[in-house]
Amino acid sequence: DTEVTQTPKHLVMGMTNKKSLKCEQHMGHRAMYWYKQKAKKPPELMFVYSYEKLSINESVPSRFSPECPNSSLLNLHLHALQPEDSALYLCASSQKYGGETQYFGPGTRLLVL
Amino acid sequence: GESVGLHLPTLSVQEGDNSIINCAYSNSASDYFIWYKQESGKGPQFIIDIRSNMDKRQGQRVTVLLNKTVKHLSLQIAATQPGDSAVYFCAETTSNSGYSTLTFGKGTMLLVSP
């Protein structure tokens, strides 16, 4: 089983709203990732968690706040977003050993009005 | 035929043809490469991978070729079907302590006509 799940599938929010994206995997993977993807572009890395600790923050604005409550869950808290933040947000996970392959979830399509 | 648009190269083929999607990578130290398929509205799906100590690997209807001399990767799809229509990304990977980092290619859109 190589399934990563994400909720919600779609999200529309105003610039003053606070919302959260959720990601879950039950493959025992210890690394989890958030990516942002614009149309017709490859995914861009935002954050990496390894063993529930933040390992990489790719200079992401503070209006995006990641959280890793446990080894299976990854959240992305959103606050005061801008219209240009509208994109597909993808979660991925990988194993620690021989863990180069990242397995992606279906994504959350976010629209900021 | 193949065309390069403003943002995403596109390869158009007929059902039943063999398709070849190409990718140039940048880091000669990369030792692991992955091909992903991304259908419209979905996340990238793992197709096949290859390590740098190999030059060819075959899966079901897919073959990946690696030419380290010219830093070139290709994905061959045999007997292409309409369900193969998607954007295909190559990715070179770097392993770190406890996680990996992917560097994606720009992507190629494959359009399969019945």
Side-chain angles (χ1 to χ4, degrees):
Chain A
D1 181 13
T2 54
E3 188 178 28
V4 177
T5 59
Q6 291 186 243
T7 56
K9 195 171 175 65
H10 301 277
L11 179 62
V12 180
M13 59 186 292
M15 290 189 282
T16 58
N17 291 159
K18 285 185 182 181
K19 297 287 184 183
S20 295
L21 309 185
K22 296 186 185 302
C23 173
E24 190 167 4
Q25 57 87 15
H26 294 288
M27 297 177 280
H29 290 176
R30 302 312 299 266
M32 296 185 77
Y33 310 77
W34 279 116
Y35 288 84
K36 173 183 178 181
Q37 187 179 28
K38 290 284 206 178
K40 298 188 177 181
K41 297 287 188 182
E44 298 173 12
L45 182 66
M46 300 174 72
F47 302 104
V48 179
Y49 273 84
S50 177
Y51 284 83
E52 299 150 53
K53 287 187 167 52
L54 184 64
S55 296
I56 292 182
N57 175 342
E58 290 285 4
S59 303
V60 179
S62 59
R63 56 185 184 269
F64 296 91
S65 175
E67 178 196 19
C68 191
N70 61 55
S71 61
S72 300
L73 292 174
L74 187 66
N75 298 323
L76 186 62
H77 303 298
L78 314 173
H79 174 54
L81 295 193
Q82 304 297 308
E84 59 264 29
D85 296 322
S86 299
L88 181 68
Y89 287 85
L90 294 162
C91 173
S93 70
S94 68
Q95 297 174 337
K96 180 184 190 299
Y97 296 107
E100 297 95 341
T101 301
Q102 294 182 21
Y103 295 94
F104 286 83
T108 294
R109 176 71 61 186
L110 174 66
L111 177 62
V112 182
L113 300 176
Chain B
E2 184 173 337
S3 64
V4 177
L6 283 176
H7 298 292
L8 201 62
T10 300
L11 177 63
S12 299
V13 302
Q14 295 288 320
E15 182 177 3
D17 288 351
N18 295 332
S19 301
I20 300 176
I21 299 171
N22 296 304
C23 175
Y25 64 92
S26 56
N27 186 354
S28 57
S30 295
D31 59 3
Y32 185 72
F33 303 87
I34 306 171
W35 279 100
Y36 287 97
K37 172 187 180 183
Q38 187 172 23
E39 296 176 84
S40 182
K42 297 185 179 180
Q45 176 188 0
F46 171 85
I47 302 174
I48 193 168
D49 55 11
I50 189 168
R51 292 204 175 276
S52 60
N53 61 353
M54 303 171 71
D55 53 19
K56 180 179 180 179
R57 190 165 188 222
Q58 288 185 287
Q60 188 177 8
R61 279 201 308 119
V62 295
T63 301
V64 55
L65 299 177
L66 175 62
N67 185 331
K68 294 182 288 295
T69 303
V70 295
K71 294 191 284 188
H72 183 267
L73 199 63
S74 68
L75 177 70
Q76 300 178 0
I77 305 174
T80 314
Q81 302 167 0
D84 295 326
S85 295
V87 176
Y88 290 81
F89 291 102
C90 66
E92 51 185 309
T93 74
T94 307
S95 288
N96 302 278
S97 177
Y99 63 92
S100 61
T101 51
L102 300 179
T103 301
F104 285 94
K106 292 183 178 179
T108 296
M109 179 174 289
L110 177 64
L111 297 175
V112 183
S113 305

